[in-house]
Amino acid sequence: MYTLDALQTMKTGETLQVIADCPQSFISVPEEVVKHGYELMKEPEKQGPDLYFYIRVNK
């Protein structure tokens, strides 16, 4: 939810790094990114318990 709020305030071409520690995020974040018209720049990265997502604003 906070991710979508942040993305709405960003300009086209900007990238948001999201760090999550919930295993469900591996599925839910990419689904929501695509659903709302943003771009997942690469596959999520796992570092220890954390998942890193890089999302680009295309609007």
Side-chain angles (χ1 to χ4, degrees), residues 42-59:
K42 59 183 178 177
E43 291 298 313
E45 296 176 5
K46 184 164 175 56
Q47 295 180 17
D50 296 329
L51 294 165
Y52 289 77
F53 302 90
Y54 298 91
I55 304 165
R56 184 186 339 227
V57 177
N58 291 330
K59 300 181 189 185

